[in-house]
PDB file of all heavy atoms in Angstrom:
ATOM      1  N   HIS M 187       4.453  50.076  59.509  1.00 59.00           N
ATOM      2  CA  HIS M 187       5.516  51.073  59.271  1.00 59.00           C
ATOM      3  C   HIS M 187       6.448  51.174  60.445  1.00 59.00           C
ATOM      4  O   HIS M 187       7.648  51.141  60.316  1.00 59.00           O
ATOM      5  CB  HIS M 187       4.905  52.448  58.925  1.00 59.00           C
ATOM      6  CG  HIS M 187       5.874  53.564  58.902  1.00 59.00           C
ATOM      7  ND1 HIS M 187       6.044  54.359  59.999  1.00 59.00           N
ATOM      8  CD2 HIS M 187       6.756  53.917  57.950  1.00 59.00           C
ATOM      9  CE1 HIS M 187       7.025  55.242  59.688  1.00 59.00           C
ATOM     10  NE2 HIS M 187       7.486  54.999  58.468  1.00 59.00           N
ATOM     11  N   ASP M 188       5.805  51.342  61.639  1.00 66.00           N
ATOM     12  CA  ASP M 188       6.645  51.435  62.835  1.00 66.00           C
ATOM     13  C   ASP M 188       7.414  50.153  63.087  1.00 66.00           C
ATOM     14  O   ASP M 188       8.609  50.163  63.524  1.00 66.00           O
ATOM     15  CB  ASP M 188       5.750  51.704  64.054  1.00 66.00           C
ATOM     16  CG  ASP M 188       5.150  53.095  63.999  1.00 66.00           C
ATOM     17  OD1 ASP M 188       5.666  53.950  63.244  1.00 66.00           O
ATOM     18  OD2 ASP M 188       4.089  53.335  64.694  1.00 66.00           O
ATOM     19  N   ASN M 191      10.413  49.990  60.907  1.00 67.00           N
ATOM     20  CA  ASN M 191      11.576  50.773  61.429  1.00 67.00           C
ATOM     21  C   ASN M 191      12.315  49.978  62.506  1.00 67.00           C
ATOM     22  O   ASN M 191      13.542  49.973  62.569  1.00 67.00           O
ATOM     23  CB  ASN M 191      11.079  52.109  61.959  1.00 67.00           C
ATOM     24  CG  ASN M 191      10.784  53.091  60.881  1.00 67.00           C
ATOM     25  OD1 ASN M 191      11.237  52.972  59.757  1.00 67.00           O
ATOM     26  ND2 ASN M 191      10.037  54.123  61.203  1.00 67.00           N
ATOM     27  N   VAL M 426      18.453  60.998  56.323  1.00 94.00           N
ATOM     28  CA  VAL M 426      17.290  61.629  57.059  1.00 94.00           C
ATOM     29  C   VAL M 426      16.364  60.515  57.507  1.00 94.00           C
ATOM     30  O   VAL M 426      15.849  59.721  56.675  1.00 94.00           O
ATOM     31  CB  VAL M 426      16.567  62.668  56.225  1.00 94.00           C
ATOM     32  CG1 VAL M 426      15.541  63.369  57.073  1.00 94.00           C
ATOM     33  CG2 VAL M 426      17.536  63.626  55.554  1.00 94.00           C
ATOM     34  N   ASP M 427      16.041  60.551  58.803  1.00 91.00           N
ATOM     35  CA  ASP M 427      15.016  59.629  59.342  1.00 91.00           C
ATOM     36  C   ASP M 427      14.591  60.148  60.695  1.00 91.00           C
ATOM     37  O   ASP M 427      15.479  60.637  61.464  1.00 91.00           O
ATOM     38  CB  ASP M 427      15.549  58.173  59.426  1.00 91.00           C
ATOM     39  CG  ASP M 427      14.391  57.153  59.505  1.00 91.00           C
ATOM     40  OD1 ASP M 427      13.577  57.237  60.419  1.00 91.00           O
ATOM     41  OD2 ASP M 427      14.333  56.310  58.602  1.00 91.00           O
ATOM     42  N   ASP M 428      13.310  60.048  61.029  1.00 89.00           N
ATOM     43  CA  ASP M 428      12.870  60.555  62.315  1.00 89.00           C
ATOM     44  C   ASP M 428      13.164  59.545  63.434  1.00 89.00           C
ATOM     45  O   ASP M 428      12.976  59.913  64.619  1.00 89.00           O
ATOM     46  CB  ASP M 428      11.335  60.818  62.289  1.00 89.00           C
ATOM     47  CG  ASP M 428      10.511  59.603  61.940  1.00 89.00           C
ATOM     48  OD1 ASP M 428      10.857  58.951  60.952  1.00 89.00           O
ATOM     49  OD2 ASP M 428       9.532  59.343  62.645  1.00 89.00           O
ATOM     50  N   GLU M 429      13.565  58.366  63.093  1.00 86.00           N
ATOM     51  CA  GLU M 429      13.996  57.327  64.095  1.00 86.00           C
ATOM     52  C   GLU M 429      15.490  57.480  64.268  1.00 86.00           C
ATOM     53  O   GLU M 429      16.264  57.105  63.397  1.00 86.00           O
ATOM     54  CB  GLU M 429      13.570  55.980  63.616  1.00 86.00           C
ATOM     55  CG  GLU M 429      13.917  54.860  64.533  1.00 86.00           C
ATOM     56  CD  GLU M 429      13.329  54.995  65.953  1.00 86.00           C
ATOM     57  OE1 GLU M 429      12.107  54.980  66.031  1.00 86.00           O
ATOM     58  OE2 GLU M 429      14.132  55.159  66.885  1.00 86.00           O
ATOM     59  N   GLN M 430      15.930  57.948  65.440  1.00 86.00           N
ATOM     60  CA  GLN M 430      17.365  58.220  65.651  1.00 86.00           C
ATOM     61  C   GLN M 430      18.201  56.958  65.592  1.00 86.00           C
ATOM     62  O   GLN M 430      19.345  57.029  65.076  1.00 86.00           O
ATOM     63  CB  GLN M 430      17.530  58.903  67.016  1.00 86.00           C
ATOM     64  CG  GLN M 430      17.072  60.361  67.030  1.00 86.00           C
ATOM     65  CD  GLN M 430      17.781  61.235  65.997  1.00 86.00           C
ATOM     66  OE1 GLN M 430      19.005  61.200  65.919  1.00 86.00           O
ATOM     67  NE2 GLN M 430      17.011  61.903  65.166  1.00 86.00           N
ATOM     68  N   LEU M 431      17.690  55.856  66.082  1.00 83.00           N
ATOM     69  CA  LEU M 431      18.454  54.632  66.022  1.00 83.00           C
ATOM     70  C   LEU M 431      18.746  54.212  64.553  1.00 83.00           C
ATOM     71  O   LEU M 431      19.766  53.686  64.203  1.00 83.00           O
ATOM     72  CB  LEU M 431      17.769  53.493  66.745  1.00 83.00           C
ATOM     73  CG  LEU M 431      17.701  53.633  68.281  1.00 83.00           C
ATOM     74  CD1 LEU M 431      16.818  52.556  68.888  1.00 83.00           C
ATOM     75  CD2 LEU M 431      19.139  53.578  68.877  1.00 83.00           C
ATOM     76  N   LEU M 432      17.730  54.461  63.681  1.00 83.00           N
ATOM     77  CA  LEU M 432      17.907  54.163  62.242  1.00 83.00           C
ATOM     78  C   LEU M 432      18.962  55.095  61.627  1.00 83.00           C
ATOM     79  O   LEU M 432      19.755  54.694  60.748  1.00 83.00           O
ATOM     80  CB  LEU M 432      16.605  54.302  61.511  1.00 83.00           C
ATOM     81  CG  LEU M 432      15.771  53.020  61.349  1.00 83.00           C
ATOM     82  CD1 LEU M 432      14.510  53.303  60.591  1.00 83.00           C
ATOM     83  CD2 LEU M 432      16.565  51.967  60.604  1.00 83.00           C
ATOM     84  N   VAL M 433      18.941  56.361  62.074  1.00 87.00           N
ATOM     85  CA  VAL M 433      19.925  57.301  61.541  1.00 87.00           C
ATOM     86  C   VAL M 433      21.335  56.813  61.933  1.00 87.00           C
ATOM     87  O   VAL M 433      22.280  56.812  61.074  1.00 87.00           O
ATOM     88  CB  VAL M 433      19.684  58.709  62.126  1.00 87.00           C
ATOM     89  CG1 VAL M 433      20.820  59.639  61.742  1.00 87.00           C
ATOM     90  CG2 VAL M 433      18.371  59.252  61.598  1.00 87.00           C
ATOM     91  N   ALA M 450      20.275  63.636  59.858  1.00 93.00           N
ATOM     92  CA  ALA M 450      19.214  64.614  60.193  1.00 93.00           C
ATOM     93  C   ALA M 450      17.993  63.842  60.671  1.00 93.00           C
ATOM     94  O   ALA M 450      17.656  62.794  60.143  1.00 93.00           O
ATOM     95  CB  ALA M 450      18.849  65.467  58.944  1.00 93.00           C
ATOM     96  N   GLY M 451      17.299  64.422  61.638  1.00 91.00           N
ATOM     97  CA  GLY M 451      16.176  63.742  62.259  1.00 91.00           C
ATOM     98  C   GLY M 451      14.805  64.159  61.728  1.00 91.00           C
ATOM     99  O   GLY M 451      13.768  63.663  62.160  1.00 91.00           O
ATOM    100  N   SER M 452      14.766  65.117  60.809  1.00 93.00           N
ATOM    101  CA  SER M 452      13.498  65.562  60.246  1.00 93.00           C
ATOM    102  C   SER M 452      13.755  66.275  58.887  1.00 93.00           C
ATOM    103  O   SER M 452      14.883  66.636  58.537  1.00 93.00           O
ATOM    104  CB  SER M 452      12.751  66.545  61.205  1.00 93.00           C
ATOM    105  OG  SER M 452      13.568  67.775  61.302  1.00 93.00           O
ATOM    106  N   ASP M 472      13.813  58.713  54.775  1.00 89.00           N
ATOM    107  CA  ASP M 472      12.570  57.951  55.015  1.00 89.00           C
ATOM    108  C   ASP M 472      11.420  58.732  54.424  1.00 89.00           C
ATOM    109  O   ASP M 472      11.522  59.955  54.206  1.00 89.00           O
ATOM    110  CB  ASP M 472      12.379  57.794  56.554  1.00 89.00           C
ATOM    111  CG  ASP M 472      11.167  56.978  56.907  1.00 89.00           C
ATOM    112  OD1 ASP M 472      10.810  56.103  56.105  1.00 89.00           O
ATOM    113  OD2 ASP M 472      10.606  57.213  57.955  1.00 89.00           O
ATOM    114  N   ALA M 474       7.661  58.276  55.447  1.00 81.00           N
ATOM    115  CA  ALA M 474       6.678  58.599  56.387  1.00 81.00           C
ATOM    116  C   ALA M 474       7.288  59.254  57.625  1.00 81.00           C
ATOM    117  O   ALA M 474       7.623  58.568  58.622  1.00 81.00           O
ATOM    118  CB  ALA M 474       5.858  57.357  56.761  1.00 81.00           C
ATOM    119  N   MET M 475       7.379  60.567  57.586  1.00 86.00           N
ATOM    120  CA  MET M 475       7.942  61.325  58.707  1.00 86.00           C
ATOM    121  C   MET M 475       6.954  62.421  59.114  1.00 86.00           C
ATOM    122  O   MET M 475       6.258  62.962  58.252  1.00 86.00           O
ATOM    123  CB  MET M 475       9.276  61.969  58.340  1.00 86.00           C
ATOM    124  CG  MET M 475      10.387  60.964  57.981  1.00 86.00           C
ATOM    125  SD  MET M 475      11.969  61.775  57.712  1.00 86.00           S
ATOM    126  CE  MET M 475      11.653  62.785  56.262  1.00 86.00           C
ATOM    127  N   PRO M 476       6.870  62.780  60.396  1.00 88.00           N
ATOM    128  CA  PRO M 476       5.975  63.842  60.814  1.00 88.00           C
ATOM    129  C   PRO M 476       6.485  65.196  60.265  1.00 88.00           C
ATOM    130  O   PRO M 476       7.627  65.442  60.151  1.00 88.00           O
ATOM    131  CB  PRO M 476       6.018  63.783  62.306  1.00 88.00           C
ATOM    132  CG  PRO M 476       7.319  63.102  62.646  1.00 88.00           C
ATOM    133  CD  PRO M 476       7.583  62.134  61.522  1.00 88.00           C
ATOM    134  N   LYS M 518      11.975  49.150  52.714  1.00 77.00           N
ATOM    135  CA  LYS M 518      12.334  48.854  54.048  1.00 77.00           C
ATOM    136  C   LYS M 518      11.653  47.531  54.443  1.00 77.00           C
ATOM    137  O   LYS M 518      10.549  47.244  54.062  1.00 77.00           O
ATOM    138  CB  LYS M 518      11.808  49.976  54.996  1.00 77.00           C
ATOM    139  CG  LYS M 518      12.705  51.174  55.096  1.00 77.00           C
ATOM    140  CD  LYS M 518      12.124  52.053  56.222  1.00 77.00           C
ATOM    141  CE  LYS M 518      13.069  53.241  56.512  1.00 77.00           C
ATOM    142  NZ  LYS M 518      12.495  54.060  57.569  1.00 77.00           N
TER     143      LYS M 518
END
Side-chain angles (χ1 to χ4, degrees):
H187 169 262
D188 292 341
N191 282 343
V426 187
D427 201 300
D428 59 312
E429 179 59 63
Q430 288 301 311
L431 290 174
L432 268 180
V433 173
S452 67
D472 183 29
M475 298 186 296
K518 278 187 173 181

